[in-house]
Amino acid sequence: MNEWVIELRNVSKAYAAHAVLRNINLQVRAGEFLTLLGPSGCGKTTILRLLAGFEPADGGEILIGGQDMRTLPPEQRHVNTVFQSYALFPHLTVFENVAFGPRLKRIRGEALRERVMDTLRMVKLEDFAGRKPGQLSGGQQQRVAIARAVVNQPRVLLLDEPLSALDYKLRKAMQLELKQLQRRLGITFIFVTHDQEEALSMSDRVAVMNAGRIEQFGAPRQIYEAPENLFVARFVGEINNLPGRVVAAAPPRYDIRLHDRVVNLKSPYVFGVGDRVNVLIRPEDVRIWRECEGSAEERAALFPAVVEGVVYKGSTVDLVIRLDSGDVLSTTQFFNEDDQAIVNLDFREGERVFVDWVHDWETILPHEE
Amino acid sequence: MRRKAQGHPVPMRIREPFKLLAVGAIYFWLTAFALLPNLLVVIASVLERGSDEFVAFAFTLDSYRRLLDPLYLGVLLDSLGLAAATTALCLLLGYPFAYLLTRMPVRWRPVLLLLVIIPFWTSSLVRTYAMVILLQTNGWLNQILLGLGLIAEPLELLYTEPAVIAGMLYALLPFMILPLYAALEKLDRRLIEAARDLGAGWITIFRRIILPLTLPGVVAGCMLTFLPGLGMFYVADLLGGAKTMLVGNLIRDQFLSARDWPFGAAASVLLTGLMGLLLWAYYLSSRRAGRGALP
């Protein structure tokens, strides 16, 4: 028995001499919302094209529902694609676009009408059945593209950056709708995006990709809070990187020297004394103390710094801080109604401050360039 | 197309005389050399044949009545049949050719298109004479076939209907290929992928996606081959041995040999009417395909 609806084993693909996918291994559970996240050119769309059958893999196996897909053309696979450009048929009405798949399965007459209209109702387009795609807005075209795919009740729906052409507000709304639709239909979604926020907020699991490889594969929280390498840490959200060196090791705790200070931190990785490491801290985990706060003793354990930039963002204030050691940190301070002292967050550029972070919320990785 | 910077009075005023001149010249040209002659033809077609002059100024529909004569109807039907056969063959050959052209590597396409266009550099009359040399009884084609031992004695190729069709095909094929190529080139490849993704095989994709979306190209190509096909009298003359009378020959003969201007004009008007009908069909088909184009 196989619990995976999709399985990629050692899949590779190259265009001419340029490798786009290198030894990809990926398993997708039935009903899962999986996101392939990565910068453009990382190979995420190529995975979709291999799954849809538009291109053959150079090596490895692709299984859908346990069945080898190697010789199966796209028209015989139980997957459907929502294209980035929507690729709606411009000469057909919305109804005929959606009816295209069912008609090929010899569904006719009232059964066809019912099925198409049910699907259009689901995406709230029942009143637009007679229109041509060119007469619809971008968001409506997007819905038609989704309806045209899900009407076939595929095992897996492949979505290639389907929201990238929409404006911010519409994108937010569609994210929510897509997620609800996926829960309701129970179809496995494989969603491709370069937007890390979209990936984190929608997916059950995320595969972060770079240069044809999967860098990390896990739940959104794992990806964000415990990145496995510097690429993932940097690509998924903002992060501060403090280079350090291990001076004492008592796994899982290590004394790490960061410039003139030694801090005791925890890590699941095993380091030896003298190893170079990167201490990674999310901007929202950085705490800032002003000169008037705390006693001199308390301050002695903190990193002295100067405020270099202040960006007011409504719900937060982002600061750029230069430590006396020279490292630059970006931080995010939330307005906190309970704390009178920080209510204003009226930092000035050039102001002297003291910095630390919520210990054990950092990530320590072996040094890499 | 988006118009930019509409509110610039100064450059607009400078450009105004030039615009007037350019547009005016085109209108003058069209009026003087297209509208007026056509109007004269229409007028001539409803006049009587003159004894001293070419036409006598008396209204009559006699010329049109004569066109209904089975003899002339036969000429018209022959012409339509020949033009239709040529057009059908052009489409049959041109569509796959144009499709393959769009699938060629991008850097080859201009060269291949140039090869299609090169015959235009020579007058089609000269090229038709070249066909005579190829097809005549001791022509190249027969000599090659004899040399290869495929035939025992020369074939009667020249002055047959196939020779006429071959000649028209040769002259008109580029007119079919070019609009088809333009239409197929514009076709979004992703639509074909989308159709395959939805489970369509190649026949369905061609019938429901490719053909409807390239229909304006098909109609344009058919018009560009069918209409000249009706009028290309010299091909039938040279390759068909002037055995079959076509509308083109008929019109020419009425004006130049028979000196029956009203009748020639009436045949001309009929031809123009047919062309108008085809143009209208083209307009309808392009409007249907154009509505709801991809953003």
Side-chain angles (χ1 to χ4, degrees):
Chain A
M1 233 354 252
N2 198 334
E3 64 168 312
W4 312 118
V5 65
I6 283 181
E7 209 176 346
L8 273 69
R9 293 182 191 153
N10 296 319
V11 170
S12 60
K13 173 83 187 166
Y15 293 117
H18 178 66
V20 235
L21 294 178
R22 309 158 197 258
N23 276 327
I24 295 287
N25 284 288
L26 193 71
Q27 291 98 16
V28 188
R29 292 189 193 98
E32 189 170 33
F33 196 124
L34 180 115
T35 297
L36 302 174
L37 172 67
S40 53
C42 71
K44 53 195 195 300
T45 296
T46 305
I47 291 188
L48 281 202
R49 294 182 61 81
L50 294 183
L51 285 172
F54 297 136
E55 280 163 52
D58 293 341
E61 278 178 284
I62 297 172
L63 301 152
I64 297 179
Q67 190 191 355
D68 192 346
M69 286 290 120
R70 220 167 314 180
T71 56
L72 219 57
E75 54 269 31
Q76 286 170 32
R77 300 189 180 192
H78 292 295
V79 298
N80 284 114
T81 308
V82 176
F83 293 85
Q84 181 172 17
S85 56
Y86 313 146
L88 300 176
F89 305 127
H91 59 302
L92 301 179
T93 60
V94 168
F95 183 93
E96 283 304 326
N97 263 282
V98 177
F100 195 90
R103 269 189 204 281
L104 290 168
K105 287 184 191 142
R106 314 228 167 279
I107 297 168
R108 296 275 186 278
E110 194 50 39
L112 177 76
R113 227 193 101 70
E114 213 167 277
R115 186 144 156 202
V116 171
M117 288 315 285
D118 279 352
T119 313
L120 283 177
R121 245 188 303 283
M122 201 167 64
V123 296
K124 303 185 198 100
L125 278 178
E126 65 270 29
D127 297 333
F128 296 86
R131 299 249 190 123
K132 293 270 177 77
Q135 298 167 303
L136 302 179
S137 70
Q140 288 166 336
Q141 291 184 22
Q142 169 67 78
R143 286 160 204 265
V144 178
I146 292 167
R148 188 179 68 175
V150 299
V151 74
N152 304 294
Q153 300 163 348
R155 294 184 75 135
V156 180
L157 192 65
L158 308 171
L159 302 105
D160 186 8
E161 307 222 15
L163 308 179
S164 60
L166 306 179
D167 65 57
Y168 181 78
K169 265 192 131 168
L170 199 53
R171 198 161 68 225
K172 290 274 157 206
M174 282 305 293
Q175 283 175 12
L176 219 69
E177 271 185 48
L178 264 182
K179 183 78 200 158
Q180 284 169 356
L181 193 70
Q182 191 257 342
R183 287 215 186 100
R184 196 150 22 118
L185 297 172
I187 299 175
T188 310
F189 273 37
I190 298 190
F191 188 91
V192 159
T193 183
H194 61 264
D195 182 334
Q196 43 104 3
E197 204 182 314
E198 202 164 271
L200 295 181
S201 62
M202 295 173 81
S203 331
D204 297 318
R205 287 195 298 165
V206 179
V208 184
M209 292 186 63
N210 184 34
R213 288 198 183 83
I214 293 178
E215 298 280 354
Q216 189 172 354
F217 187 25
R221 207 170 167 149
Q222 256 177 300
I223 300 275
Y224 188 77
E225 292 179 4
E228 283 170 7
N229 55 48
L230 218 48
F231 174 81
V232 174
R234 284 193 179 130
F235 191 76
V236 182
E238 231 183 316
I239 203 140
N240 297 300
N241 181 6
L242 295 175
R245 198 179 281 275
V246 178
V247 290
R253 300 208 75 88
Y254 301 90
D255 280 344
I256 291 165
R257 176 180 295 282
L258 299 167
H259 290 285
D260 57 342
R261 243 151 260 243
V262 173
V263 284
N264 185 262
L265 300 170
K266 205 170 126 180
S267 172
Y269 295 96
V270 177
F271 300 109
V273 172
D275 283 358
R276 293 172 72 193
V277 293
N278 290 317
V279 177
L280 305 170
I281 305 153
R282 294 279 178 203
E284 63 271 23
D285 297 341
V286 176
R287 287 185 301 201
I288 297 178
W289 311 76
R290 309 184 84 160
E291 271 197 302
C292 54
E293 295 173 291
S295 63
E297 275 157 50
E298 281 175 309
R299 265 185 247 154
L302 307 176
F303 292 82
V306 173
V307 175
E308 282 211 327
V310 183
V311 182
Y312 174 75
K313 282 199 172 168
S315 59
T316 64
V317 171
D318 291 2
L319 301 180
V320 179
I321 303 266
R322 182 178 291 278
L323 300 184
D324 287 6
S325 60
D327 291 310
V328 176
L329 298 185
S330 52
T331 78
T332 298
Q333 305 295 307
F334 292 88
F335 287 99
N336 185 346
E337 286 174 18
D338 302 331
D339 192 341
Q340 280 303 316
I342 320 180
V343 156
N344 291 317
L345 294 178
D346 55 349
F347 294 97
R348 295 178 319 274
E349 287 178 20
E351 184 179 341
R352 182 123 201 107
V353 290
F354 297 89
V355 172
D356 73 346
W357 68 90
V358 190
H359 279 212
D360 292 348
W361 285 17
E362 75 288 320
T363 300
I364 303 166
L365 293 177
H367 180 79
E368 48 184 303
E369 285 309 327
Chain B
M1 209 183 286
R2 197 170 294 150
R3 262 191 287 167
K4 268 204 221 159
Q6 287 177 317
H8 280 292
V10 179
M12 278 304 282
R13 206 172 297 163
I14 293 168
R15 254 189 236 143
E16 208 68 24
F18 173 73
K19 230 168 86 178
L20 247 142
L21 193 75
V23 176
I26 292 167
Y27 272 107
F28 172 76
W29 183 271
L30 287 174
T31 310
F33 299 111
L35 186 66
L36 279 179
N38 269 300
L39 215 63
L40 286 178
V41 169
V42 173
I43 293 169
S45 73
V46 292
L47 295 180
E48 272 174 23
R49 192 176 177 187
S51 41
D52 305 326
E53 303 287 325
F54 288 124
V55 289
F57 287 89
F59 178 82
T60 174
L61 286 175
D62 214 36
S63 300
Y64 288 97
R65 212 166 291 133
R66 272 175 64 201
L67 275 177
L68 295 177
D69 185 300
L71 179 70
Y72 296 120
L73 271 183
V75 169
L76 185 66
L77 283 178
D78 277 354
S79 308
L80 288 173
L82 182 66
T86 309
T87 305
L89 272 173
C90 277
L91 184 61
L92 234 55
L93 288 173
Y95 203 101
F97 182 86
Y99 183 77
L100 288 175
L101 212 54
T102 61
R103 305 303 310 272
M104 289 290 164
V106 179
R107 61 205 166 88
W108 288 14
R109 286 185 213 163
V111 179
L112 291 167
L113 268 181
L114 189 71
L115 289 177
V116 173
I117 295 166
I118 278 179
F120 282 117
W121 295 356
T122 315
S123 150
S124 65
L125 191 60
V126 174
R127 282 185 284 133
T128 308
Y129 274 111
M131 290 275 295
V132 174
I133 295 170
L134 282 177
L135 296 179
Q136 57 191 271
T137 313
N138 56 355
W140 291 11
L141 189 60
N142 267 325
Q143 282 176 12
I144 290 169
L145 290 175
L146 282 169
L148 289 172
L150 291 171
I151 49 172
E153 50 192 77
L155 296 172
E156 281 292 325
L157 295 170
L158 202 56
Y159 308 134
T160 59
E161 197 164 356
V164 176
I165 291 181
M168 305 228 327
L169 195 64
Y170 173 49
L172 294 171
L173 191 57
F175 292 101
M176 179 62 90
I177 289 173
L178 293 177
L180 282 177
Y181 174 76
L184 282 160
E185 167 103 288
K186 269 196 300 183
L187 187 74
D188 190 344
R189 302 281 314 157
R190 289 169 298 192
L191 296 180
I192 294 170
E193 283 190 350
R196 291 192 75 191
D197 189 70
L198 293 167
W202 285 110
I203 294 168
T204 311
I205 291 174
F206 178 73
R207 199 173 50 82
R208 294 206 55 204
I209 308 296
I210 299 179
L211 190 59
L213 285 173
T214 54
L215 200 59
V218 172
V219 178
C222 286
M223 265 168 43
L224 287 176
T225 47
F226 187 77
L227 300 180
L230 279 177
M232 283 182 106
F233 53 83
Y234 55 87
V235 175
D237 269 3
L238 295 175
L239 300 177
K243 275 186 292 193
T244 41
M245 178 66 87
L246 299 175
V247 180
N249 311 46
L250 179 74
I251 296 171
R252 182 201 54 186
D253 290 348
Q254 294 310 310
F255 278 97
L256 298 182
S257 343
R259 302 268 159 173
D260 189 346
W261 280 28
F263 185 59
S268 219
V269 169
L270 183 74
L271 212 53
T272 310
L274 270 171
M275 293 182 188
L277 220 65
L278 281 164
L279 277 169
W280 184 60
Y282 173 64
Y283 168 73
L284 285 185
S285 77
S286 66
R287 211 183 54 169
R288 242 186 66 188
R291 203 181 339 155
L294 277 174

